[in-house]
Amino acid sequence: MPLRILRLSCLCALLLALALTAPAQSLGQTLAPQAKRDLAVLATAYPGVMAAIEVDPAGRATVVLTDGTRLPYDDGRAKSPEELLDKPDIKDMLAQPYPLGPVVAEPALHFSPGRIRVQPLFLALYGHDKAAVTANCRPVPFLGQTMAFNTRYGAADAFARVEAQLRRLLAADPSLRRFLLPASGGVVWRVIAGTRRLSVHSFAAAVDVSPKGNPYWRNFPPGTNILATRQGFPPAVVAVFEAEGFIWGGKWSEFDVMHFEYRPELVLLARLARGETLALADIGRLVHPVGAVRPGAAGQ
Ligand SMILES: [Zn+2]
């Protein structure tokens, strides 16, 4: 084949390949940078939970979960602090940056990163009812106790790694025991006190350490400053949990000092915010125009 024709056919093949891949790429680019980052972080923290991301011509994204649930990334509504807890969208859930590391100041009122949760996402992640959650659990030793923990998305394995590190800390400094024990966890299918929202303990993806010794905001006057208590809780314990994708309720304005929960997406966002380079999941193949996902295609 003459060289000129060969070059021409190579060029044609290249143009054809570009034409075939361009729609997905350009659709991916219609997602706003924050949506793109947030959804890539979700896909990294919980691999496989998203079946598709539908994007309308205005760039609004709807996340389709593998259980068929459809969640707006941003519903466009302004919300009061209470509405943020009751009916958040994914953007709301990820909007408050979780602060990794030692507590440096009392948080602003309603700054409670992780307390805003999109409940349908948690049902899809961990199980839709108590029986389904229980079936997804395995027993994990915890400093002489044993508690069921959800095995989905690496939660139980992360909890087991936390426990191994805590054992080392306690061996070096037995005085830490009073901050940690006894602990309570397992599948506790219940609503959060004073609300209709399911506690994350319902999903066996959280632990309460020394519930009698660590304060909870509802038992104190509103706006109580507990900075000294927050800072008195061993930072080394908090660091062990955070290193494995857990967040601490001791950093919340509505403090829950006993409470640690598995929220790898918030820890990933925090690590990105402090400048770490992380390999995030490629969500390009999940992105489709609205209507392109067949009903039932997301049900496996
Ligand atoms: Zn708790």
Side-chain angles (χ1 to χ4, degrees), residues 69-117:
T69 303
R70 301 172 63 83
L71 301 169
Y73 168 72
D74 177 4
D75 60 22
R77 291 203 305 267
K79 303 179 187 91
S80 68
E82 208 44 46
E83 289 166 336
L84 280 170
L85 294 168
D86 276 337
K87 281 193 183 142
D89 56 34
I90 293 172
K91 188 180 179 188
D92 298 327
M93 183 175 82
L94 305 178
Q96 293 186 338
Y98 179 80
L100 290 172
V103 174
V104 292
E106 186 69 8
L109 190 64
H110 302 311
F111 183 81
S112 300
R115 201 165 163 257
I116 293 169
R117 305 179 190 87

Side-chain angles (χ1 to χ4, degrees), residues 114-205:
R115 201 165 163 257
I116 293 169
R117 305 179 190 87
V118 175
Q119 185 163 304
L121 172 67
F122 284 78
L123 293 167
L125 288 172
Y126 294 119
H128 285 81
D129 54 37
K130 188 175 179 183
V133 169
T134 304
N136 285 331
C137 285
R138 72 171 170 91
V140 179
F142 189 79
L143 309 174
Q145 300 178 234
T146 300
M147 56 187 72
F149 218 86
N150 209 303
T151 58
R152 308 260 292 160
Y153 303 100
D157 290 344
F159 188 56
R161 289 192 297 271
V162 165
E163 198 266 349
Q165 291 297 323
L166 290 179
R167 249 186 298 129
R168 283 187 199 108
L169 283 183
L170 285 184
D173 182 359
S175 75
L176 298 180
R177 289 183 73 83
R178 72 184 173 91
F179 293 98
L180 293 167
L181 294 170
S184 66
V187 185
V188 190
W189 194 269
R190 62 168 165 83
V191 294
I192 300 168
T195 79
R196 283 175 298 178
R197 301 187 302 275
L198 281 171
S199 157
V200 79
H201 290 285
S202 306
F203 305 112

Side-chain angles (χ1 to χ4, degrees), residues 201 208 256 259:
H201 290 285
D208 286 338
D256 191 354
H259 181 86

Side-chain angles (χ1 to χ4, degrees), residues 233-257:
F233 192 91
V237 168
V238 177
V240 160
F241 274 98
E242 288 177 351
E244 294 296 344
F246 286 76
I247 61 166
W248 180 40
K251 291 183 173 175
W252 294 345
S253 164
E254 289 87 359
F255 50 87
D256 191 354
V257 177

Side-chain angles (χ1 to χ4, degrees), residues 68 78 183 278 284:
L278 302 171

